[in-house]
Amino acid sequence: MDLNNTKAQMRKGVLEYCILLVIDGKPLYASNIIEQLKNSKMIVVEGTLYPLLTRLKNDGLLAYKWEESTQGPPRKYYELTVEGRFFLNEMGTSWNELVEAVSMIKRHI
Amino acid sequence: MKKTFTINISGSIFHIDDDAFEKLQRYLQMLNRHFGPALEGQEILQDIEARIAELLIERTSNKTDVVTDSMVDEVIARMGKAEDFMEPDDEQTSATAGADQAVITGAQPVNKRLYRDGDNRVLGGVCSGLAAYFNMDMVILRVIFVIAFFLGIGTSLLLYIILWIVVPKAKTTAQRLEMRGKEANISNIEKSIKEEVKEVGESYNKFMNSPDYDRGTTRMNRLGDVVGGSIKVVLRIIVLLFGAALIIFGIASLIGFVATMVTGHSFLHGGIWNFGWDSDFNMANLMNHFVSPGAYTISLITILILIGIPILVLLFIGTKLIFRYKTNNKMIGLGTFGVWLLALVTLIIVGANQAGNFSKQTSQTVTQKVECTNCKTIYLDMNDDLYETLIDDHISFDRMKVAEVNGKEKLLGQPRFTIEKSSTGEFILLITKGARGSNTLDAQHNVEQMTYNYAQKDSTLQLDPYYILNDNARWRDQEVSMILQVPEGKSIFMSEKMKSIINNIENVNNIWDGDMVGKYWTMTPNGLAMRDSITTTGFR
């Protein structure tokens, strides 16, 4: 069993949840999101983020607007849609249940 | 000093050195392949390119700094290879990752593709894109296009529009790089073929000089390489030739087709649209005689679409084979097919509707006594053919012809003429006019639109060579047949001119219609007989 692979699989599963968590609150552009995810070691390479952002946007969970930047071209600022917020809450609940379940199992070992 | 390029990534300008350029190009190309030409993939790629630009801006403190190999390495390390992206749908990722790997490891030359160059466009960026593809000066290409247009080769405009529609615009940097390709060479196509030929040659040499001839497996593998390579080269050449043939054929048929469609309208006669094309066959004109005016325009448009679209598709496939550009718009393809189908259905409906105009047949017979109380022989002669020089040789439906009289077109037809035995003692001429129509009344009306004249002068019947349709009448399977009933014992003589209308006259001598002219024929109890073969004398 490949340990790295298993780790990657686990991270993959919660990555979308984390992206929604990071964006919740204020509009962010991709580099801000990357910064936070990298700090918490959720992603290794930055390229991972972009396909996910586009898919979340196409699924209606995220929306973006263009904003001018002082340096370089305009940036896409992402924020949660109503649907995205609902989705985030649902995922939050099931995440808590999952953590609860795992810690319960750990306690009983 | 290394060679440097200036590139535009996501709206920012960078100076980049040779090696770094090549590396970045390969990387972007790999991502491009990974994400595919669909809208979603291109959006992701644009976002990634924006990020790359941002990272490069961080690394170049001022605008004149050159992007180096190590900077690109850093950026690629940060962004990651496509197979490092954690994408949930695993199957697809692993499948494409394998392909990406092959692209990266195999030292394949970067293929050029034809794109429209939106950065240097005047209209649609077609010329600038072609210029990038052939590594020419775009100004020269534009001048050629404009001159070609004014020289009356209207197709250059059409070609431009077609390319504008089918060739995709280079949106991402990866595509812009693909548009220029790696080599600064005029004949990229030729070069890539030469490279492939060289590869084949090398693997063949390897095979011949191989020290381990007896190791059959290696030998077979090498042989496989040689054969495979050769086949590849041959296939590529065939594809190129085929593409070129398609383009040539497509352009030729387009010109022919357009000429056919437009020459019918007199205001374009001899104009720049004529291409020196001999208007042998004239679709617009031809239709005019068949179809009622309302349906005429509709069918003309549908025919334009029905024939035009396949020709354009041929051109499209041809250019695609040669230039290998990508098309990512399925909607255009489906839309085009939809339009074609719609045109087909419309034409069928219009056709069925028009066919209804032929559903009923009616005829009207006029019986005329031919005065010949004292004469023995009726002479049959035909009036001079006034329309001979006016008739359009290229159009004829059955026995009907089109003639241009004082700039107006007239439909004419040749009558049929035959001879029967008269049951009375008189010469009788029966003239039957027939036509079709959507109903009996309409058919009757169409019959009345026909004029046929003859005159009798003493014992000579002067027949008109044609019956004529009134102006605006359309072809409805009109016909005129004449029967001359000859009483027993009387004779006829047909002049040479009658040849063209004689139709199946039965005679006891079994002489063919055409050979019956210029002779005297007498009605005997057995039928019509040549006078020389009758023993009786004293006629005339």
Side-chain angles (χ1 to χ4, degrees):
Chain A
M1 185 113 180
D2 185 355
L3 182 63
N4 280 333
N5 191 27
T6 315
K7 276 184 184 170
Q9 292 288 341
M10 281 168 75
R11 258 208 301 268
K12 215 181 269 185
V14 290
L15 193 51
E16 290 183 13
Y17 176 46
C18 290
I19 292 173
L20 294 178
L21 267 182
V22 171
I23 296 174
D24 190 24
K26 59 179 189 305
L28 287 179
Y29 94 104
S31 300
N32 301 138
I33 305 168
I34 284 169
E35 217 171 290
Q36 299 211 29
L37 291 174
K38 273 197 144 177
N39 286 342
S40 48
K41 298 205 167 55
M42 269 310 294
I43 58 170
V44 183
V45 292
E46 298 187 6
T48 308
L49 181 67
Y50 295 94
L52 289 174
L53 279 179
T54 304
R55 215 187 32 230
L56 288 171
K57 184 214 49 165
N58 287 346
D59 288 345
L61 303 183
L62 292 180
Y64 69 81
K65 53 179 188 272
W66 289 99
E67 267 177 37
E68 292 298 324
S69 86
T70 47
Q71 44 178 338
R75 297 164 168 177
K76 274 179 179 175
Y77 276 81
Y78 287 93
E79 56 191 343
L80 291 187
T81 59
V82 178
E83 202 183 330
R85 189 153 291 120
F86 173 76
F87 197 80
L88 178 62
N89 285 336
E90 291 292 303
M91 281 187 92
T93 316
S94 76
W95 173 250
N96 289 339
E97 283 167 8
L98 209 62
V99 172
E100 188 100 342
V102 172
S103 48
M104 224 157 96
I105 289 167
K106 275 182 175 172
R107 268 204 301 275
H108 287 290
I109 290 171
Chain B
M1 183 68 196
K2 273 184 172 172
K3 210 167 109 187
T4 62
F5 296 94
T6 307
I7 56 168
N8 174 345
I9 303 176
S10 194
S12 306
I13 303 293
F14 295 97
H15 302 288
I16 184 165
D17 79 33
D18 213 354
D19 298 340
F21 175 75
E22 203 166 306
K23 196 169 277 176
L24 186 64
Q25 191 179 19
R26 244 181 239 294
Y27 178 63
L28 288 174
Q29 222 128 49
M30 179 205 71
L31 291 183
N32 194 22
R33 256 170 245 253
H34 178 78
F35 290 119
L39 217 59
E40 185 176 307
Q42 290 303 308
E43 189 180 353
I44 296 169
L45 198 57
Q46 278 169 13
D47 290 347
I48 289 177
E49 282 174 2
R51 177 63 176 164
I52 290 172
E54 202 177 65
L55 291 172
L56 287 177
I57 288 172
E58 282 174 18
R59 280 161 180 72
T60 48
S61 43
N62 63 59
K63 290 230 184 270
T64 53
D65 274 2
V66 173
V67 176
T68 61
D69 205 28
S70 60
M71 288 183 198
V72 172
D73 280 339
E74 266 176 62
V75 169
I76 292 177
R78 271 191 82 151
M79 298 305 294
K81 299 268 165 65
E83 61 267 27
D84 300 331
F85 300 170
M86 292 184 287
E87 282 174 82
D89 17 27
D90 266 319
E91 289 160 42
Q92 192 210 336
T93 322
S94 55
T96 47
D100 295 340
Q101 206 56 46
V103 169
I104 282 239
T105 49
Q108 269 190 346
V110 175
N111 278 332
K112 259 190 180 185
R113 282 186 196 280
L114 183 61
Y115 287 100
R116 287 184 292 115
D117 182 0
D119 296 339
N120 297 307
R121 73 199 176 94
V122 170
L123 278 173
V126 171
C127 281
S128 40
L130 281 172
Y133 189 84
F134 293 112
N135 207 28
M136 290 168 71
D137 193 330
M138 60 185 111
V139 177
I140 295 176
L141 211 63
R142 279 186 192 130
V143 169
I144 292 175
F145 254 90
V146 171
I147 289 177
F149 176 63
F150 280 108
L151 277 182
I153 310 170
T155 8
S156 76
L157 183 69
L158 204 63
L159 196 68
Y160 189 96
I161 292 169
I162 294 168
L163 288 173
W164 194 347
I165 294 170
V166 299
V167 176
K169 195 169 133 189
K171 280 192 197 130
T172 63
T173 309
Q175 289 173 337
R176 277 199 291 272
L177 292 175
E178 233 176 10
M179 178 176 78
R180 299 226 151 67
K182 187 180 68 177
E183 303 88 0
N185 232 320
I186 280 188
S187 47
N188 188 283
I189 296 168
E190 189 191 332
K191 195 176 171 192
S192 78
I193 286 181
K194 273 184 185 160
E195 273 171 8
E196 280 168 30
V197 169
K198 216 174 95 195
E199 270 175 36
V200 174
E202 275 169 7
S203 56
Y204 178 72
N205 283 340
K206 260 191 211 162
F207 164 65
M208 288 310 282
N209 301 329
S210 166
D212 36 24
Y213 255 84
D214 22 289
R215 288 174 61 188
T217 48
T218 325
R219 208 175 134 190
M220 282 316 288
N221 282 341
R222 296 253 163 91
L223 185 64
D225 282 354
V226 175
V227 172
S230 315
I231 290 174
K232 214 168 120 192
V233 173
V234 170
L235 277 181
R236 182 74 192 128
I237 293 173
I238 290 174
V239 164
L240 283 175
L241 289 178
F242 187 61
L246 277 183
I247 292 179
I248 292 167
F249 178 74
I251 289 177
S253 21
L254 200 64
I255 293 173
F257 178 58
V258 169
T260 304
M261 293 302 278
V262 298
T263 43
H265 304 280
S266 52
F267 63 94
L268 285 169
H269 257 310
I272 56 159
W273 293 97
N274 229 340
F275 305 105
W277 196 270
D278 183 22
S279 57
D280 269 7
F281 177 76
N282 194 322
M283 176 92 67
N285 220 344
L286 187 66
M287 300 252 314
N288 207 4
H289 301 298
F290 274 103
V291 180
S292 28
Y296 168 68
T297 316
I298 298 172
S299 7
L300 211 58
I301 293 170
T302 50
I303 287 176
L304 193 75
I305 293 171
L306 275 178
I307 299 176
I309 284 182
I311 293 176
L312 294 187
V313 168
L314 278 188
L315 273 177
F316 167 63
I317 295 171
T319 49
K320 203 172 149 101
L321 286 179
I322 290 188
F323 295 121
R324 305 188 184 184
Y325 54 81
K326 283 185 208 165
T327 36
N328 50 16
N329 206 334
K330 278 187 191 149
M331 291 310 291
I332 293 179
L334 282 176
T336 313
F337 183 63
V339 169
W340 190 84
L341 272 186
L342 197 70
L344 185 66
V345 171
T346 312
L347 193 66
I348 289 171
I349 292 171
V350 171
N353 197 12
Q354 291 301 311
N357 287 333
F358 291 83
S359 59
K360 284 273 183 286
Q361 211 268 346
T362 197
S363 60
Q364 176 186 313
T365 305
V366 177
T367 312
Q368 200 82 36
K369 212 171 99 182
V370 178
E371 292 297 337
C372 185
T373 24
N374 299 319
C375 68
K376 287 262 184 215
T377 303
I378 287 288
Y379 294 84
L380 290 157
D381 193 14
M382 207 147 75
N383 289 322
D384 288 332
D385 187 348
L386 298 171
Y387 294 99
E388 197 175 4
T389 54
L390 304 171
I391 283 176
D392 186 339
D393 292 335
H394 307 297
I395 310 175
S396 88
F397 332 112
D398 204 0
R399 292 172 79 91
M400 291 192 74
K401 309 242 183 292
V402 179
E404 205 176 299
V405 185
N406 301 328
K408 281 192 94 172
E409 294 199 326
K410 272 191 172 301
L411 281 170
L412 332 153
Q414 287 183 313
R416 293 168 208 266
F417 177 84
T418 191
I419 292 174
E420 284 175 1
K421 194 196 278 187
S422 174
S423 50
T424 65
E426 311 261 17
F427 278 102
I428 289 169
L429 184 62
L430 299 159
I431 301 178
T432 307
K433 295 179 191 172
R436 289 180 175 273
S438 53
N439 51 52
T440 313
L441 212 65
D442 186 41
Q444 185 66 37
H445 174 77
N446 288 330
V447 166
E448 283 157 13
Q449 299 291 308
M450 304 161 68
T451 315
Y452 183 74
N453 292 320
Y454 76 95
Q456 187 181 1
K457 244 206 253 151
D458 302 329
S459 60
T460 304
L461 273 181
Q462 286 282 345
L463 304 172
D464 269 1
Y466 300 107
Y467 59 89
I468 297 171
L469 264 55
N470 290 359
D471 293 348
N472 301 324
R474 280 162 209 280
W475 185 78
R476 292 288 179 264
D477 197 17
Q478 288 93 338
E479 50 187 16
V480 168
S481 52
M482 281 180 283
I483 303 170
L484 181 66
Q485 296 185 332
V486 180
E488 250 182 75
K490 301 258 176 164
S491 298
I492 53 128
F493 177 88
M494 290 187 285
S495 77
E496 197 69 30
K497 287 183 194 162
M498 289 290 290
K499 230 182 214 176
S500 61
I501 63 167
I502 296 176
N503 183 57
N504 205 15
I505 301 179
E506 302 225 350
N507 60 80
V508 293
N509 306 78
N510 283 326
I511 302 277
W512 291 100
D513 291 347
D515 296 330
M516 292 181 71
V517 295
K519 300 182 175 80
Y520 287 93
W521 294 86
T522 307
M523 189 57 76
T524 66
N526 300 325
L528 208 57
M530 210 192 294
R531 185 203 275 174
D532 292 348
S533 63
I534 304 168
T535 44
T536 6
T537 48
F539 280 96
R540 284 185 84 186

